[in-house]
Amino acid sequence: MNTKSALLVGVGGQGAILTAKILVNGLMKMGYDVKMSEVHGMSQRGGSVSTQVHWGEKVYSPVIGKGAADIMIAFEKMEAVRYAEFLKPDGIAVINDYEIPSSTVAAGLCEYPEGCLEAMVSSFKCHTLNAADIAMELGNPKCMNVVLFGAMTAALDFGDIDWEEIIRDTVPEKSLELNLKAYEAGRAAVLK
């Protein structure tokens, strides 16, 4: 198997790092060599977060170069555009149709850019969903990240990985049932 790579991008506090850990745990359980890199930046202040995951028979670096990611999971739609150059031309993007105003937008110094989803759909194979709304329907907006994770597993074939088992092993017991429902809801949003 050639190496594969996933890029998870969002805003601090959206759960991109936990989502990457679920992904990494599942891939390692299947016997893949896996490397992960996190970039937090000003994430604790609402800034951009990116997590890169490489897997395959032998992986030498977690770093994903421009035009090299097989799949991108964007927790916020402006972040999808910000990191689009890292996605392969035939790559897949799973995009949360959700806006988090940057500090400059919130301060009124600029406006949230229009056409983020349209720009991505015109250039890549995209699956868009409003994971925040799905999470709210399940009763807790904090499971939005696992909704997106479920969507990702439906969008990209990961073979015979039992993701529900991996979620059981990774997330805290108190939120397990909610996260299992979130995973299934995310898969259903892409497979419909």
Side-chain angles (χ1 to χ4, degrees), residues 29-72:
K29 187 163 187 161
M30 287 301 294
Y32 293 114
D33 183 20
V34 183
K35 304 286 187 283
M36 179 176 124
S37 172
E38 305 167 8
V39 177
H40 300 276
M42 293 295 288
S43 62
Q44 291 183 354
R45 302 199 189 281
S48 186
V49 173
S50 71
T51 303
Q52 302 177 9
V53 180
H54 257 148
W55 69 95
E57 193 173 305
K58 183 64 182 162
V59 177
Y60 297 97
S61 171
V63 178
I64 299 171
K66 291 180 180 178
D70 293 287
I71 189 163
M72 174 200 294

Side-chain angles (χ1 to χ4, degrees), residues 81-96:
V81 175
R82 182 187 320 265
Y83 288 94
E85 67 185 342
F86 290 93
L87 195 57
K88 287 180 177 179
D90 63 344
I92 300 169
V94 174
I95 305 170
N96 190 11

Side-chain angles (χ1 to χ4, degrees), residues 153-176:
T153 64
L156 190 65
D157 181 19
F158 283 98
D160 297 329
I161 298 174
D162 182 350
W163 289 112
E164 289 187 12
E165 178 186 341
I166 303 305
I167 291 168
R168 286 180 197 282
D169 293 343
T170 308
V171 303
E173 181 68 34
K174 66 182 180 186
S175 61
L176 177 59

Side-chain angles (χ1 to χ4, degrees), residues 33-158:
D33 183 20
V34 183
K35 304 286 187 283
M36 179 176 124
S37 172
E38 305 167 8
V39 177
H40 300 276
M42 293 295 288
S43 62
Q44 291 183 354
R45 302 199 189 281
S48 186
V49 173
S50 71
T51 303
Q52 302 177 9
V53 180
H54 257 148
W55 69 95
E57 193 173 305
K58 183 64 182 162
V59 177
Y60 297 97
S61 171
V63 178
I64 299 171
K66 291 180 180 178
D70 293 287
I71 189 163
M72 174 200 294
I73 303 84
F75 290 65
E76 198 274 347
K77 61 187 180 181
M78 187 169 49
E79 295 301 312
V81 175
R82 182 187 320 265
Y83 288 94
E85 67 185 342
F86 290 93
L87 195 57
K88 287 180 177 179
D90 63 344
I92 300 169
V94 174
I95 305 170
N96 190 11
D97 186 1
Y98 187 71
E99 294 179 12
I100 297 178
S102 67
S103 59
T104 53
V105 171
L109 300 174
C110 64
E111 292 185 19
Y112 192 94
E114 296 291 324
C116 292
L117 290 178
E118 295 80 5
M120 291 299 293
V121 168
S122 70
S123 300
F124 303 101
K125 179 179 180 185
C126 295
H127 299 280
T128 61
L129 64 152
N130 190 315
D133 285 351
I134 294 170
M136 286 301 292
E137 288 171 17
L138 293 171
N140 191 330
K142 291 184 177 184
C143 70
M144 179 174 65
N145 61 330
V146 181
V147 171
L148 289 165
F149 179 76
M152 177 190 67
T153 64
L156 190 65
D157 181 19
F158 283 98

